[in-house]
Amino acid sequence: MRTQHTFLTGVVLNRHEGELRTSGYWAQLMSGIQEESIPLKGPLSVTDYHAVIEAITTRDLQLTLECLGLDEDKLYTAIGRTVKPVGVELEDDGIVKASPMAGMNRGGALMG
């Protein structure tokens, strides 16, 4: 079990190293860093990422899964269906175009 745990730790850390090259990942890491409702998330959660991942034990993962309640009898399946909203006209390609929103142009919402 320890070998698989070591392998998975390596996978997580390699993915982390690769994602560090994207600004979206940095934004995700930094989100909530100053929120009082997330007291354990601070700058160390970014700078000590390797130490945190390497310190996670198999028992930690088991406890997490127990808290999530992923027992077969507690899971369910939802089936959804997308319908065309009333008043929306589709173009020939059948794709619904997004409505223009603030910040969609170059420069963002702060540009005039």
Side-chain angles (χ1 to χ4, degrees):
M1 186 64 143
R2 188 67 190 159
T3 304
Q4 185 177 13
H5 182 266
T6 304
F7 171 75
L8 294 175
T9 299
V11 169
V12 170
L13 292 175
N14 285 338
R15 181 174 293 166
H16 171 70
E17 290 296 321
E19 292 288 333
L20 285 175
R21 297 182 183 99
T22 67
S23 58
Y25 186 66
W26 277 100
Q28 180 184 357
L29 285 176
M30 302 298 274
S31 68
I33 207 165
Q34 295 178 327
E35 289 288 327
E36 290 180 17
S37 61
I38 311 173
L40 298 178
K41 186 163 186 180
L44 293 178
S45 65
V46 176
T47 58
D48 290 352
Y49 189 85
H50 281 264
V52 170
I53 296 302
E54 290 171 354
I56 294 173
T57 66
T58 303
R59 183 67 183 143
D60 294 332
L61 296 175
Q62 290 170 337
L63 290 170
T64 301
L65 290 173
E66 287 174 17
C67 288
L68 292 175
L70 297 177
D71 297 330
E72 193 67 35
D73 61 333
K74 295 180 183 174
L75 297 177
Y76 62 92
T77 301
I79 299 173
R81 187 175 133 205
T82 303
V83 296
K84 182 178 81 166
V86 176
V88 171
E89 295 298 324
L90 299 179
E91 294 184 15
D92 291 337
D93 58 6
I95 297 175
V96 177
K97 305 294 184 206
S99 302
M101 297 172 32
M104 285 187 70
N105 296 328
R106 185 181 174 108
L110 300 178
M111 300 300 289

